[in-house]
Amino acid sequence: MKLYQVHTITKKQLKIIIVFISLACLLIYGNSLKNEFALDDNYVTATSDKTPHPRVQQGIKGIPEIFSSHYIESRQQNFEYRPVVLTTFAIEYEFFGINPHISHFINLLFYILSCIMLFIVLIKLLTHYNIIFPILITFLFTTHPIHTEVVNNLKSRDELLSFLFGINALYFFIKNVENIKATNIIFGVIFLLLALLSKKTAVLFFILIPLTLYFFTTIKPKKLILFSLIPIAAFLFFKLLKFFLLEESIQLRAYAFFENPLFYIDNFWERIPFAFYTAGYYLKLFIYPHPLSSYYGYNIIPMANWSNIIVWVSMLFHISLVVFALIKLPQKKIISYGILIYLIGIFPFTNLFTPVVGIIGERFVYFASLGFCISISYLILTLFKIEYYNKEIHFKYLSSYFKTSCIILLSLYSIKSFSRNPAWKNELTLFRHDVINFENSCNLNYILANALSKEIALTQNEAAKSLLIKEAKVHFKKTTELMSEGLKKYPNDFATQNNLATIYVDIFNDAKSAQPIFKKVIELNPKNVEGQYNYGYCYEKRNLPDSAIYWYENMLSKKIEYLPAYQRLYELHFQKQAYKKAIESSKKAIEIYPEKVALYINVGNAYMYEKDTLSGLDYFEKAAAIPPLDYVLLQNVSNVFKVVGNEQKAKEYAEKSRIVMPKNSTIH
């Protein structure tokens, strides 16, 4: 059992090529180091002190917790298990704190290592081919613009690491063919395990490894089956780690139709033409990667059926690819190998069996891009009649047409990638850039409008703020139009119903239009607490406080635990000078949320207005005792005791406030 031939590349040549690969990556993606945090980066790392990541911000000490918790954990959802990714961010935070430029540098470093390891694996596999072949594959992979999301989006580090560890695993399994050693198998399994712990799409390497051994070695069928089973050890380790370390309580949020309408279509047969359309769109992005987007989704990718010509073209093309690859499989043709990798890589993301959030995602086909680059390189060499089996041929003797074509293609890809990087500077820059090319994308308009709202809150200049408000309203208006249009087709999408109504009430101050939509949300999902709360809030916005009070009290009587409802109920009672009812509602809230300082202050204020000073002071003291101690609150309590003439208590709290540094104070 061995590789077909031994490659003639020297160590010096290898080092030179590795340097060129590294330089190419640095030249293409060097400008990404200027970027800040962008789309969904806050889910995987600390993006600011105001948006902490509780596990990452513990640094190295947080690693045990990272390995015993889900990858994404928020109030709305928790899912997946990718501890290796979060561990890299925790180590970063330990040494560099919140620093997006370091994070981007590390992403780029992982990409460079991936490209280098890819080349090393290719020269091991393509030993009976001219060195031009693995070089062309590697540089196509390095420069392809579809990788810009993986490199620029810190959240996509899971894809980078999964591929990097997977390609290392492949290297050791190939090495084991050359020299059978237990250490090669052990390292192969370890790297596969690390790949799985980065992202479970690493299971694609479970197919790639035996496929590669079949194509490029003289391995016997029985041993090939055995080698195919060995990677399963990594999968078993992965499952055992999850079983012993992770409490399996997956909670998925409700998905909106504009993320993928298939969440609201149960008919499998309708998915088939849509899957072919999706595959066709991916092929288009590989061949002509323009325009690119951080988000595709509804209205960008149509719900194509059999009447769409693209569906038929894509179906005929991809079925032809399958047939051709299988016919050439017994002959172990490299083109068959490339096609199979491509098809294996895109298949899970065609929406055939599982709807993909966003419908299309450039990061999803990172693995598939390897198959594309192998296939296209083969076709280029064939087109220009390059004797890729001739190991003696030198670059300078190659056809000028071939060299010119390769230079043009690689230059175009490099320029596109380089020019795409600045769009990923931050969320606002990214969404503004992409919505120009995809103005009918429902989610792009929505997330851009929300990003603008955050920017408005941070902007002090009134003229600049006015322009931002105007821009935000344009995109909120477009969002409402696209949501309303979509809800006619997918009326059971209560998540979008809730989003639409929230825009009406919060942005356009149109509670009258919002309230019936919130009612629809409650009808579709009676357990939707936010919908119930928002329905009551609409009464407030319509200046119907009694109706709002009745609704909140009815809502809370059902033992629904929702803090904002208690807070609004307190405010409404307080405004009506019904202080006893205000006290009653806040005391009930304290039973559920005993750690919330604001609730104690509310009770204290209401008691003071009831002329019950002692009870009021008692609750102020309870608030001041809740850690972490707050400088401003302690000062205020001290001042209250001064007003009522209790100098001893005033002095006591003044002393406590001096112990607490002002920088630790928060507003309650």
Side-chain angles (χ1 to χ4, degrees):
M1 182 176 64
K2 61 179 182 177
L3 290 172
Y4 285 120
Q5 294 185 36
V6 178
H7 211 288
T8 57
I9 186 171
T10 65
K11 287 184 178 180
K12 183 179 179 181
Q13 287 173 323
L14 178 60
K15 288 178 181 179
I16 291 170
I17 294 169
I18 286 174
V19 168
F20 274 102
I21 292 169
S22 304
L23 286 174
C25 291
L26 287 168
L27 288 171
I28 294 167
Y29 287 103
N31 59 341
S32 71
L33 302 182
K34 299 177 183 177
N35 291 345
E36 300 158 11
F37 297 111
L39 178 62
D40 290 341
D41 288 345
N42 60 296
Y43 283 117
V44 296
T45 190
T47 55
S48 74
D49 291 326
K50 293 180 180 178
T51 55
H53 194 292
R55 288 163 291 159
V56 169
Q57 283 187 271
Q58 292 180 53
I60 293 173
K61 291 180 182 177
I63 293 175
E65 186 180 338
I66 286 170
F67 271 83
S68 60
S69 55
H70 289 94
Y71 177 60
I72 300 292
E73 290 194 348
S74 66
R75 186 174 60 84
Q76 290 183 319
Q77 58 188 326
N78 61 74
F79 63 91
E80 294 297 345
Y81 186 59
R82 303 172 194 170
V84 168
V85 184
L86 294 183
T87 296
T88 65
F89 285 112
I91 294 170
E92 268 184 56
Y93 187 85
E94 178 78 27
F95 294 102
F96 304 105
I98 298 173
N99 191 326
H101 311 301
I102 292 292
S103 296
H104 283 292
F105 173 77
I106 292 172
N107 259 30
L108 177 51
L109 182 61
F110 287 142
Y111 187 64
I112 293 170
L113 292 173
S114 298
C115 294
I116 291 171
M117 278 307 302
L118 173 60
F119 179 70
I120 291 171
V121 167
L122 287 172
I123 60 173
K124 276 191 169 292
L125 297 178
L126 304 175
T127 53
H128 55 306
Y129 290 84
N130 187 275
I131 193 66
I132 296 298
F133 195 16
I135 287 175
L136 182 56
I137 294 169
T138 304
F139 277 90
L140 272 174
F141 186 90
T142 300
T143 60
H144 203 292
I146 208 166
H147 295 166
T148 51
E149 178 179 13
V150 172
V151 180
N152 283 280
N153 191 191
L154 299 179
K155 183 180 68 68
S156 293
R157 185 176 292 182
D158 51 6
E159 297 286 356
L160 282 171
L161 288 172
S162 181
F163 185 87
L164 175 59
F165 291 133
I167 208 74
N168 272 277
L170 177 59
Y171 170 81
F172 278 102
F173 277 103
I174 295 167
K175 195 175 179 183
N176 191 62
V177 172
E178 297 175 317
N179 186 10
I180 297 175
K181 283 186 178 180
T183 51
N184 288 329
I185 293 176
I186 291 168
F187 277 118
V189 170
I190 289 172
F191 275 113
L192 270 179
L193 177 60
L194 290 171
L196 285 168
L197 291 170
S198 298
K199 193 172 185 182
K200 65 182 180 184
T201 49
V203 295
L204 295 174
F205 282 93
F206 286 49
I207 305 171
L208 179 62
I209 289 169
L211 189 69
T212 302
L213 297 179
Y214 167 77
F215 267 92
F216 299 101
T217 73
T218 58
I219 190 170
K220 302 292 184 187
K222 287 184 179 179
K223 285 190 176 180
L224 180 61
I225 293 170
L226 177 63
F227 270 65
S228 301
L229 295 175
I230 290 172
I232 295 174
F235 188 75
L236 293 175
F237 279 127
F238 173 71
K239 284 293 185 182
L240 284 170
L241 277 174
K242 284 185 70 176
F243 179 77
F244 286 110
L245 298 180
L246 180 67
E247 184 179 339
E248 280 286 3
S249 56
I250 296 174
Q251 172 194 339
L252 295 175
R253 63 181 172 85
Y255 292 106
F257 78 84
F258 54 78
E259 294 176 287
N260 193 327
L262 288 180
F263 287 116
Y264 295 90
I265 298 176
D266 294 327
N267 190 337
F268 174 77
W269 302 106
E270 288 185 43
R271 294 187 178 189
I272 296 174
F274 188 61
F276 280 119
Y277 187 95
T278 304
Y281 200 96
Y282 276 129
L283 184 64
K284 176 261 175 191
L285 286 178
F286 275 117
I287 296 171
Y288 183 68
H290 178 83
L292 297 174
S293 178
S294 55
Y295 203 94
Y296 293 87
Y298 174 77
N299 251 21
I300 300 306
I301 311 300
M303 285 302 297
N305 54 37
W306 292 113
S307 65
N308 192 308
I309 186 64
I310 295 175
V311 170
W312 287 96
V313 172
S314 176
M315 182 185 72
L316 292 172
F317 179 80
H318 284 92
I319 289 176
S320 299
L321 281 183
V322 172
V323 173
F324 179 81
L326 293 177
I327 289 172
K328 297 295 181 182
L329 185 62
Q331 302 170 39
K332 298 186 177 182
K333 293 288 186 181
I334 187 70
I335 185 67
S336 175
Y337 178 71
I339 290 171
L340 288 172
I341 294 174
Y342 176 76
L343 293 173
I344 291 165
I346 66 166
F347 179 74
F349 307 106
T350 56
N351 296 284
L352 183 60
F353 294 105
T354 305
V356 177
V357 176
I359 303 178
I360 294 289
E362 294 157 25
R363 65 191 181 279
F364 297 141
V365 289
Y366 186 45
F367 177 93
S369 66
L370 171 57
F372 175 83
C373 293
I374 291 171
S375 303
I376 292 300
S377 298
Y378 177 90
L379 292 174
I380 291 172
L381 292 171
T382 303
L383 178 65
F384 289 98
K385 299 179 181 179
I386 305 298
E387 295 181 23
Y388 40 80
Y389 281 99
N390 183 355
K391 294 192 288 183
E392 302 304 318
I393 194 168
H394 194 274
F395 185 75
K396 65 182 178 181
Y397 298 123
L398 293 169
S399 158
S400 59
Y401 293 112
F402 168 75
K403 289 189 283 190
T404 303
S405 298
C406 288
I407 290 169
I408 290 173
L409 178 60
L410 295 175
S411 296
L412 288 173
Y413 275 0
S414 299
I415 292 167
K416 175 61 181 176
S417 297
F418 183 83
S419 62
R420 175 65 178 160
N421 297 332
W424 281 91
K425 181 182 178 182
N426 55 46
E427 281 192 336
L428 202 53
T429 304
L430 181 63
F431 303 151
R432 276 172 166 163
H433 180 277
D434 291 353
V435 83
I436 293 171
N437 294 316
F438 299 98
E439 60 182 17
N440 287 320
S441 169
C442 185
N443 201 40
L444 270 180
N445 277 282
Y446 186 38
I447 56 183
L448 172 55
N450 285 325
L452 287 164
S453 297
K454 293 177 187 176
E455 191 67 17
I456 289 165
L458 298 172
T459 304
Q460 301 296 322
N461 184 282
E462 290 301 320
K465 182 177 284 192
S466 178
L467 289 173
L468 288 169
I469 291 170
K470 185 178 179 180
E471 184 184 359
K473 284 187 174 181
V474 168
H475 292 289
F476 272 123
K477 187 174 186 299
K478 185 69 174 178
T479 300
T480 58
E481 291 171 1
L482 292 168
M483 283 184 176
S484 299
E485 171 196 301
L487 284 169
K488 292 175 185 176
K489 301 175 188 175
Y490 312 103
N492 293 330
D493 180 359
F494 66 86
T496 301
Q497 299 271 13
N498 192 71
N499 291 336
L500 177 61
T502 301
I503 293 171
Y504 276 126
V505 70
D506 287 348
I507 305 303
F508 298 114
N509 199 28
D510 185 0
K512 191 174 182 180
S513 296
Q515 199 161 24
I517 304 175
F518 282 128
K519 187 177 181 181
K520 179 72 173 176
V521 172
I522 299 168
E523 290 171 357
L524 289 169
N525 184 11
K527 293 182 180 180
N528 187 286
V529 178
E530 289 184 0
Q532 293 199 43
Y533 167 76
N534 287 329
Y535 185 83
Y537 185 64
C538 284
Y539 279 124
E540 286 193 63
K541 297 291 282 186
R542 292 173 60 195
N543 199 26
L544 297 169
D546 291 336
S547 297
I549 289 170
Y550 176 81
W551 181 264
Y552 290 140
E553 287 180 340
N554 181 60
M555 172 184 167
L556 297 173
S557 69
K558 299 172 185 175
K559 296 184 179 180
I560 295 173
E561 297 181 2
Y562 196 60
L563 181 60
Y566 282 105
Q567 291 172 325
R568 293 311 309 152
L569 197 55
Y570 168 84
E571 291 293 337
L572 289 168
H573 283 314
F574 199 89
Q575 289 168 13
K576 293 171 69 68
Q577 298 182 1
Y579 302 122
K580 288 182 180 178
K581 289 185 177 181
I583 292 166
E584 182 184 345
S585 65
S586 286
K587 281 186 175 180
K588 287 180 181 177
I590 287 171
E591 291 175 9
I592 303 168
Y593 307 100
E595 77 288 355
K596 296 295 181 182
V597 175
L599 295 175
Y600 294 89
I601 295 173
N602 287 346
V603 175
N605 284 332
Y607 269 126
M608 297 300 279
Y609 275 89
E610 272 284 290
K611 309 299 182 185
D612 188 347
T613 305
L614 290 177
S615 296
L617 289 170
D618 179 47
Y619 272 87
F620 288 147
E621 287 194 89
K622 287 178 180 179
I626 296 173
L629 299 183
D630 184 277
Y631 172 79
V632 174
L633 178 57
L634 291 168
Q635 283 278 0
N636 288 338
V637 173
S638 175
N639 291 334
V640 171
F641 275 113
K642 277 184 184 177
V643 171
V644 299
N646 191 333
E647 291 296 331
Q648 183 180 345
K649 282 281 188 179
K651 186 177 179 181
E652 178 186 330
Y653 279 97
E655 185 61 33
K656 285 182 180 180
S657 71
R658 280 191 285 272
I659 297 171
V660 181
M661 296 297 292
K663 66 179 181 180
N664 293 330
S665 66
T666 56
I667 298 172
H668 296 280

